[in-house]
Amino acid sequence: MTAHHQDGHILEATRTGLRPPPLYKVLLLNDDFTPMDFVVDVLQRFFSMDGERATRVMLQVHREGQGMCGVFTRDIAATKVEQVIAHARQHQHPLACVMEENE
Ligand code: TYC
């Protein structure tokens, strides 16, 4: 990127090559079997949502097919996905949770 000058002062530094780390959305996907109250509990337990917000996100997933749990750095997002899937499988639910780069 070209630096811009005005009155001899550099207003914007030339890029150094450093970038902020990419962020990732964690999404829940709908299925026909996982109970609604289990999904609400997952959103409260792993994503610190209150009951009202967790219920709204769960219903969005139920009606639209997917919904966002939060946006995290890559390692945190990957850990959340693992924890949600492990918890769901322990309870024999097929709940799907994925991460995707936040454009
Ligand atoms: N569709 C499920 C039901 O009717 C509820 C559900 C919501 C499942 C969200 C998964 O990520 C999900 N019991």
Side-chain angles (χ1 to χ4, degrees):
M1 179 187 290
T2 309
H4 300 277
H5 298 76
Q6 182 181 311
D7 301 323
H9 298 288
I10 296 173
L11 298 179
E12 188 174 6
T14 301
R15 273 190 192 277
T16 60
L18 294 173
R19 296 287 192 285
L23 295 175
Y24 293 80
K25 296 178 195 168
V26 172
L27 304 170
L28 280 183
L29 307 184
N30 191 35
D31 66 73
D32 292 337
F33 304 102
T34 305
M36 290 183 173
D37 63 348
F38 184 84
V39 177
V40 171
D41 178 75
V42 162
L43 290 164
Q44 294 184 275
R45 184 186 295 264
F46 295 103
F47 299 97
S48 304
M49 293 185 193
D50 62 26
E52 192 176 324
R53 173 128 190 262
T55 300
R56 266 193 280 113
V57 172
M58 181 281 293
L59 286 173
Q60 186 190 7
V61 178
H62 178 69
R63 291 172 180 146
E64 298 176 25
Q66 64 177 51
M68 200 178 51
C69 307
V71 178
F72 306 95
T73 57
R74 186 176 58 188
D75 285 3
I76 300 291
T79 299
K80 297 281 184 194
V81 169
E82 278 180 16
Q83 289 174 330
V84 168
I85 291 173
H87 182 65
R89 296 304 170 272
Q90 277 166 23
H91 293 265
Q92 284 86 47
H93 297 311
L95 182 62
C97 185
V98 299
M99 59 192 273
E100 94 179 4
E101 196 171 335
N102 197 18
E103 49 225 73

